[in-house]
Amino acid sequence: MNSLHDMTVSELALALKTKQLSAVEVAIGFLARLGGNPHNAFLDIDSEVTLAQAQASDARLAAGTAGPLEGVPVGHKDVFVTRDFATTAGSNILAGYRSPFDATLVQKLGASAPGGAGMVTVGKLNCDEFAMGSANENSAFGKVTNPWDTARVPGGSSGGSAAAVAARLVPAATGTDTGGSIRQPASFCGITGIKPTYGRASRYGMIAYASSLDQGGPMARTAEDCALLLSAMCGPDLDRDSTSLDVPTEDFTASLNHSLEGLRIGVPKEFFGEGLHADVRAAVDAALREYEKLGAKLVPISLPRTELSIPVYYIIAPAEASSNLSRFDGVKFGHRAKDYTDLVDMYKKTRAEGFGNEVKRRIMTGAYVLSHGYYDAYYLQAQKIRRMIADDFQKAFKECDLIAGPVAPSVAWKFGDNAGDPVADYLADIFTLPASLAGLPAMSVPAGFGAQGMPVGLQLIGNYFKEAQLLNAAHRLQQATDFHLQKPAGV
Ligand code: GLN
């Protein structure tokens, strides 16, 4: 058997089911790795809670009432509310906040509601404040470092999740993806992550950033592990999430070994333009060649509005954020300013003290584009182009079954490289934003290494509800390559 921390979710689940390991042993093994909080990946750890959950898992394993992932450890991005751990969304305004309930995805993966998969929560993972960022530098509780090179960013906003999985602190984690926050950190840290079709996994209890884009999903080392978690995460939650889709749950592991013979992979020319770094291009090209060897056919396609996805996203997401974040007013949740003269003064001081600069920037941008006189010029135009971007994908899917390209123009950058220039970070989101705006499922698969040995991810984008096809394609690539098995020095 691999040493504990090297085991995948599927290996751990089997070892637990066959009683080679107990959930308590597994929990103790992983908790032992968290001392000193490597990479600042975690925001809350509580070994008592974790051990109690593990004991309950062992009891279910003994009683024959275990869930499919019973006893396997998981970490949750700190935008998922949890009853037993603090939830901050990486913000001072929620420092120490405790939710009275678990988010639907936490319930579905865990055991706090009937029918859960039985995973044991190891803790809450650091992230950019309210999931706004591409480098995890916007967390109020400090940056997360990339396990492959601690001078570099882990990506964002699910940077804690990606770093924790890459450093083998947890076998799997949850992330959220509004404009790339599962795929880009997965790419930067050399792991696998998938964002399902918008509406397939419940947003209930996922602290809202931009509601029409936010989507939770799994991050793990292999496509198979992502398939295991995603199968547990998806499913209708109609009473609690108004955009939840009434689509049945699916076993995404069932089709993992399907042949790729004849699969048409669309390669959008706009994803291979000037801004793409040579090392990323080389790794992505090599992965595409590998797909040809596996029987797939590459089809040149065009997504002509790729560049527009940046201004469109950075209008729509802040607009929704400015509205969603109005709930943090010092009355209902978290922080409240100490000294104030009246109610309005309390709101102002609470928000001025509680929010970080990037969040304030987006609230202001959002309020501006929604304001009278600018709404038509910005917000409405952006909505129209968003529709066209979605239509472009449907045109492309007439010629191909899935789309492949880079996740990001470069490997993980060094801390400070983009400092003080938020737009530089925004521009790096160019390849992940289109699928987000269209609500399509998309994932990142390890595809090689670039400059200074940093990981490069291949992005796969599918049509609506084609998660199984994406995971199958990713799994086949992982059977033919070993990039997902490499690990950072010292791990
Ligand atoms: N980098 C993008 C942003 O800052 C995406 C973040 C996300 O997907 N949560 O908005």
Side-chain angles (χ1 to χ4, degrees):
M1 220 189 299
N2 274 340
S3 63
L4 195 62
H5 63 273
D6 278 325
M7 290 172 76
T8 61
V9 170
S10 93
E11 288 166 349
L12 284 164
L14 185 67
L16 284 152
K17 213 161 284 161
T18 54
K19 313 249 176 357
Q20 286 170 279
L21 290 169
S22 74
V24 167
E25 269 176 278
V26 173
I28 288 172
F30 278 96
L31 285 170
R33 292 179 65 76
L34 304 185
N37 195 14
H39 305 290
N40 197 28
F42 281 87
L43 292 181
D44 196 18
I45 297 167
D46 185 334
S47 52
E48 264 179 47
V49 168
T50 301
L51 287 174
Q53 289 188 8
Q55 273 162 4
S57 274
D58 280 332
R60 282 188 295 274
L61 284 158
T65 55
L69 301 175
E70 194 68 60
V72 179
V74 66
H76 291 296
K77 183 176 182 180
D78 207 27
V79 296
F80 289 100
V81 300
T82 41
R83 216 177 40 191
D84 298 331
F85 293 86
T87 302
T88 67
S91 181
N92 272 325
I93 209 157
L94 280 175
Y97 171 71
R98 278 210 177 232
S99 162
F101 66 96
D102 279 343
T104 295
L105 291 195
V106 173
Q107 289 185 356
K108 278 175 169 280
L109 287 174
S112 58
M119 296 184 93
V120 168
T121 307
V122 178
K124 300 298 289 295
L125 291 156
N126 204 344
C127 57
D128 281 308
E129 187 174 2
F130 290 104
M132 298 175 187
S134 310
N136 218 122
E137 289 175 294
N138 299 335
S139 166
F141 307 108
K143 63 189 185 189
V144 173
T145 52
N146 190 316
W148 292 88
D149 176 355
T150 53
R152 291 174 189 266
V153 304
S157 61
S158 314
S161 304
V165 172
R168 274 60 168 168
L169 306 178
V170 278
T174 52
T176 65
D177 193 309
T178 302
S181 281
I182 287 176
R183 290 161 283 162
Q184 186 255 27
S187 172
F188 281 12
C189 290
I191 64 160
T192 310
I194 180 165
K195 153 196 128 60
T197 306
Y198 177 78
R200 241 195 138 165
S202 173
R203 285 187 299 112
Y204 184 71
M206 210 172 101
I207 295 175
Y209 161 18
S211 311
S212 76
L213 295 151
D214 295 343
Q215 188 54 228
M219 303 171 78
R221 297 206 303 278
T222 66
E224 184 190 10
D225 284 358
C226 284
L228 286 167
L229 268 82
L230 192 65
S231 303
M233 290 162 95
C234 287
D237 194 20
L238 307 176
D239 295 341
R240 303 195 289 184
D241 172 1
S242 62
T243 55
S244 171
L245 295 171
D246 199 2
V247 176
T249 50
E250 191 175 334
D251 177 3
F252 295 112
T253 61
S255 49
L256 284 183
N257 285 311
H258 286 187
S259 159
L260 301 186
E261 199 59 51
L263 183 81
R264 298 168 305 161
I265 300 184
V267 183
K269 64 169 188 281
E270 293 79 4
F271 281 38
F272 293 83
E274 257 172 45
L276 183 64
H277 290 210
D279 53 340
V280 175
R281 182 191 299 267
V284 169
D285 277 346
L288 294 176
R289 296 287 94 75
E290 203 57 54
Y291 274 120
E292 284 187 312
K293 281 194 222 151
L294 292 168
K297 212 172 120 233
L298 303 184
V299 184
I301 59 158
S302 173
L303 295 171
R305 295 177 182 85
T306 296
E307 245 177 49
L308 287 178
S309 66
I310 298 172
V312 167
Y313 174 89
Y314 281 99
I315 289 169
I316 291 174
E320 294 185 18
S322 75
S323 162
N324 273 328
L325 271 57
S326 63
R327 76 193 62 179
F328 300 102
D329 56 5
V331 177
K332 301 187 255 343
F333 308 98
H335 175 75
R336 178 184 299 174
K338 283 215 169 53
D339 304 309
Y340 48 86
T341 52
D342 56 20
L343 184 64
V344 172
D345 191 46
M346 190 277 284
Y347 289 158
K348 282 187 184 164
K349 286 195 174 127
T350 295
R351 288 165 67 85
E353 291 167 10
F355 290 136
N357 284 342
E358 185 59 28
V359 172
K360 287 176 183 162
R361 181 180 295 120
R362 299 206 189 186
I363 291 172
M364 285 191 283
T365 314
Y368 177 81
V369 298
L370 288 174
S371 61
H372 183 72
Y374 295 106
Y375 181 92
D376 289 357
Y378 295 109
Y379 185 71
L380 213 57
Q381 295 298 322
Q383 291 290 18
K384 288 181 185 165
I385 300 169
R386 178 180 190 177
R387 161 60 57 181
M388 291 174 179
I389 290 170
D391 290 346
D392 288 343
F393 274 110
Q394 290 315 307
K395 236 176 262 162
F397 282 126
K398 291 207 169 81
E399 295 160 47
C400 61
D401 304 305
L402 54 84
I403 293 171
V407 173
S410 72
V411 298
W413 55 83
K414 290 205 165 120
F415 288 106
D417 274 4
N418 293 352
D421 182 6
V423 177
D425 279 11
Y426 300 171
L427 292 175
D429 292 341
I430 181 161
F431 303 134
T432 50
L433 298 178
S436 294
L437 289 164
L440 292 166
M443 68 183 299
S444 176
V445 197
F449 294 88
Q452 276 94 44
M454 294 305 291
V456 175
L458 174 78
Q459 181 174 208
L460 298 173
I461 304 172
N463 210 343
Y464 301 111
F465 311 116
K466 297 290 190 191
E467 290 83 0
Q469 195 179 42
L470 289 182
L471 288 160
N472 170 220
H475 181 66
R476 298 308 296 242
L477 185 69
Q478 294 186 334
Q479 287 180 319
T481 61
D482 68 353
F483 305 123
H484 62 294
L485 301 176
Q486 313 281 329
K487 46 184 185 173
V491 168

